Amino acid sequence: MTVMMESPQQQPGLFISFEGIDGAGKSTHISGLADLFRGQGRVVTLTREPGGTELAEKLREMVLNDPMDPLSEALLMFAARRDHLQQVIQPALERGEVVLCDRFTDATMAYQGYGRGFDLKVLAQLEQWVQADVSRPRGIIEPDMTIWFDLDPAVAAQRLADARIPDRFEALPAAFFEQVAKGYEARANAAPHRFARIPADQPLQAVWMAVRHAVESRGWARGAA
Ligand code: TMP
C-alpha cells in the first residue's frame, strides 16, 4: 500500500519593508517583528538595503563612503537591489517566507529623489526595470506593506548626534533630511494601502505597539505572544 504524505500547505510569502530618515529607530522593531513571526512558526528572512548579498554589501560600502554624483548613487542603489531581489528576496518569497527588509525603493525615492533632487521619473523607470514582475498587479515586485517610522528631522538629528561616526548620508545637513521626510510623506500619500505610518516620536513601547497593531490589523501575526 502506498502511503500518501500530505505536504503542509505553504503560506504565501510576505514582504515587509521598513523606512524612515536616519535616526528614526527602525532596528529594535524589525527584530521584534521577526520574533513575532517566528513565534507563529513562520520562517523569517531578515535583510537590508543597500545590501543583503555579497555583491550588494560591497556596493553598500561604496555608496555609503565614496564620493560620487547623484546618478551613480542612484544606479548603485538599484544595482544592489537587483542582486538582492534575485538572490534573496524573490527566492524567500517563493518559499513562503516572511521577508523583513530594512529599507527598499521608497528610500531611493526619498533620499536620491527628494533629498538629492534626482529626477523622480528616471527613478520610477529604474524601478520598473529592476523590479519587473509580470505576475504582480503593478508589474513590479514591491513590499506588501511598508512600515514608515515618521520622525521630525530635528529630533532624528539629536538622536544621531551622539551616535557612531556618520556615513555620507548621516553627515548631511538638516535641510537634506527635511526633503527626505517630504519624500516619504509623498510616497505614503501615493500608496496609502501599502504604507503604515508610525509616529516615531513616542516611547519605545508605544512605537512597538503601533508596529504590532499595523501588522496584526492586516491579519498577519495575529494573536502571537
Ligand atoms: P541604514 O543606515 O538605515 O542601513 O541605511 C543606509 C543609508 O543609505 C541611509 O542613510 C539611507 C541610504 N539609502 C539611500 O540613500 N537610498 C536607498 O535606496 C537606500 C536603500 C538607502
Side-chain angles (χ1 to χ4, degrees), residues 19-20 22 26 48-50 60 63-64 73 77-78 81 102-109 111-112 164 167 169-170 176-177 184:
E19 298 285 358
D22 290 271
K26 299 172 268 117
R48 69 171 180 184
E49 290 212 345
R60 178 188 175 95
V63 86
L64 294 193
E73 190 177 287
M77 292 296 180
F78 274 112
R81 181 159 304 128
D102 188 347
R103 300 193 185 280
F104 197 64
T105 305
D106 297 301
T108 316
M109 299 301 178
Y111 279 77
Q112 280 66 54
R164 54 210 161 149
D167 61 37
F169 292 100
E170 289 164 345
F176 175 83
F177 289 103
Y184 279 125

Side-chain angles (χ1 to χ4, degrees), residues 44-121:
V44 175
T45 291
L46 260 184
T47 190
R48 69 171 180 184
E49 290 212 345
T53 68
E54 206 177 309
L55 172 65
E57 289 291 334
K58 286 185 197 159
L59 296 174
R60 178 188 175 95
E61 262 312 295
M62 292 179 203
V63 86
L64 294 193
N65 299 302
D66 299 347
M68 64 186 72
D69 81 302
L71 174 58
S72 305
E73 190 177 287
L75 290 173
L76 288 182
M77 292 296 180
F78 274 112
R81 181 159 304 128
R82 176 80 181 167
D83 195 55
H84 190 209
L85 274 169
Q86 292 195 320
Q87 306 291 335
V88 174
I89 298 179
Q90 278 172 318
L93 293 175
E94 278 157 23
R95 291 192 299 268
E97 297 179 13
V98 177
V99 175
L100 301 181
C101 189
D102 188 347
R103 300 193 185 280
F104 197 64
T105 305
D106 297 301
T108 316
M109 299 301 178
Y111 279 77
Q112 280 66 54
Y114 284 77
R116 300 280 195 215
F118 192 74
D119 192 333
L120 291 173
K121 286 203 201 86

